[in-house]
Amino acid sequence: MKKTARAHTNIALIKYWGKADAKLRIPLMSSLSMTLDAFYTDTSLEIGEEDGFYLNGQFQYEESSRRVLAYLDFLREKYQINDKLIVKSQNHVPTSAGLASSSSAFAALAASFAAFYDLDLDKAQLSRLARMGSGSASRSIYGGFAIWQKGFDDASSYAFALDEEPDIDLQLLAVEINQNPKKISSTQGMQQAISSPFFKPWVERNEVELNEMVAAIRKKDFSKIGSIAELNANEMHAINLTAKPEFTYFEPNTIKAIKLVEKLRNDGLECYYTIDAGPNVKILTKLKNVKDIKEIFMKEFPNVNIISAGFGPGISILD
Ligand code: PMV
């Protein structure tokens, strides 16, 4: 017997960057994301002689399988299961657009485990389970816009759907500046960021920014959605730059892409950017601008991949 689940990647417009409890992955702030149709992970689970993790058909040794196998241990302990398990994941992310994120990976794994063992979990319970694999995975249970409410313990920290099928003209363009794995993991980055003098204000502003974003989404106000998302991303990266020791995910081409987004916006082609724990830039725009922006970016960055995405669906069980 085998169970396969599909989860789509999400991009945070209000970001999670700081933990209240590292072990339980309880965040210090609530976050809000857009689930993307172009990027997803299919993960199947079956019983084996030994535990094993295959990614895109390749067996993963030691370091590359450690996090997945540790998560399996957590799941088995929680549900008192003794089976040895084989996990097979297929990342459907055209090349590595900087979006092969852990969000779809751990959401798909949590869902395939729940389906395999018939756990009969509701979406909030599944979100909590995915959260224990990776915080951002808690939001990939849902399509459209999702909010991960920070909560204060395991039971209260989970994501819910704000609008699973938003009727908003919003597209994301993923500009792949660099395919290399990130040098500072999000776990390490979050730990280091706490030392910034701006960390406290960052946490304190979360509620206001989240509420503003929810209001902008309800009003279908693209300009507001874009500008709040851009500000929120800049705040996160400002904290990294002012941490002790300071660090940044930006590379020269990240800055070049930011400048180009600002120029296009000033020239009347409305677009905004957001950036996660890596050098790649994600552009938010309207459908009518996608072609022009892509063309301009491809001229400025001839060797760079650019992939567009719209709203994606929530979790599904494939077989
Ligand atoms: O849950 P992780 O380890 O994938 O961390 C996510 C961190 C950001 O992508 C930068 C922000 C977010 O909310 O997704």
Side-chain angles (χ1 to χ4, degrees):
M1 196 191 65
K2 181 177 103 173
K3 281 283 175 197
T4 307
R6 172 171 297 176
H8 285 71
T9 295
N10 70 74
I11 174 85
L13 304 182
I14 298 290
K15 298 194 189 291
Y16 147 55
W17 197 245
K19 289 179 184 141
D21 184 323
K23 193 158 173 275
L24 292 176
R25 287 183 207 277
I26 314 278
L28 284 164
M29 65 287 293
S30 299
S31 52
L32 183 152
S33 60
M34 170 185 183
T35 302
L36 303 168
D37 57 1
F39 314 101
Y40 57 92
T41 303
D42 289 340
T43 294
S44 70
L45 205 68
E46 57 199 292
I47 291 179
E49 299 275 305
E50 289 294 332
D51 283 348
F53 172 44
Y54 294 79
L55 182 60
N56 301 332
Q58 304 258 359
F59 184 79
Q60 303 292 303
Y61 292 93
E62 296 178 2
E63 191 54 35
S64 4
S65 67
R66 187 171 306 165
R67 191 159 164 193
V68 166
L69 299 185
Y71 184 58
L72 280 185
D73 287 341
F74 156 77
L75 292 171
R76 281 184 293 222
E77 198 184 319
K78 184 172 169 79
Y79 292 100
Q80 302 188 343
I81 286 161
N82 291 317
D83 298 334
K84 299 281 181 203
L85 294 167
I86 309 277
V87 178
K88 289 182 182 158
S89 282
Q90 202 74 34
N91 263 338
H92 294 264
V93 181
T95 71
S96 79
L99 270 165
S101 104
S102 55
S103 64
S104 54
F106 285 97
L109 183 49
S112 62
F113 186 88
F116 192 81
Y117 289 107
D118 241 337
L119 296 181
D120 194 24
L121 304 181
D122 62 25
K123 291 266 175 86
Q125 288 169 316
L126 193 55
S127 172
R128 283 169 52 200
L129 213 55
R131 189 200 77 226
M132 292 298 291
S134 164
S136 56
S138 66
R139 301 181 306 241
S140 273
I141 303 302
Y142 308 93
F145 288 115
I147 293 177
W148 173 16
Q149 60 180 29
K150 61 178 176 170
F152 51 87
D153 60 5
D154 173 52
S156 58
S157 187
Y158 57 86
F160 60 89
L162 175 65
D163 184 349
E164 293 231 73
E165 286 175 10
D167 173 26
I168 299 183
D169 186 359
L170 182 62
Q171 292 282 312
L172 179 132
L173 283 168
V175 183
E176 182 200 46
I177 304 283
N178 188 333
Q179 298 189 17
N180 301 334
K182 52 192 172 205
K183 289 186 206 89
I184 299 178
S185 69
S186 48
T187 300
Q188 195 195 330
M190 285 184 214
Q191 257 168 26
Q192 217 159 305
I194 294 176
S195 61
S196 164
F198 302 109
F199 190 76
K200 200 161 163 260
W202 157 248
V203 173
E204 283 166 2
R205 281 182 54 75
N206 170 249
E207 203 178 323
V208 172
E209 276 181 26
L210 182 73
N211 289 342
E212 281 175 4
M213 181 61 91
V214 170
I217 288 171
R218 292 226 165 97
K219 279 195 212 133
K220 306 184 200 293
D221 186 339
F222 164 71
S223 308
K224 271 260 161 65
I225 295 172
S227 48
I228 299 167
E230 192 174 288
L231 172 65
N232 183 269
N234 280 334
E235 287 171 351
M236 172 190 139
H237 291 280
I239 285 163
N240 300 342
L241 280 167
T242 47
K244 257 193 199 155
E246 85 279 6
F247 66 103
T248 186
Y249 292 103
F250 290 4
E251 288 181 10
N253 272 343
T254 312
I255 307 279
K256 188 176 163 190
I258 288 176
K259 292 269 181 205
L260 188 51
V261 168
E262 285 167 355
K263 181 182 181 312
L264 296 180
R265 189 159 73 221
N266 290 336
D267 292 350
L269 206 54
E270 194 175 5
C271 55
Y272 301 87
Y273 62 85
T274 182
I275 301 166
D276 280 338
N280 302 313
V281 174
K282 287 97 178 185
I283 303 169
L284 297 164
T285 193
K286 291 186 174 182
L287 192 56
K288 65 171 194 232
N289 296 332
V290 166
K291 199 168 152 277
D292 289 349
I293 295 177
K294 245 188 179 169
E295 270 174 25
I296 295 166
F297 262 81
M298 271 148 76
K299 256 192 223 137
E300 288 293 324
F301 298 89
N303 302 317
V304 154
N305 252 310
I306 304 175
I307 299 146
S308 55
F311 288 108
I315 204 97
S316 58
I317 302 299
L318 303 181
D319 58 42

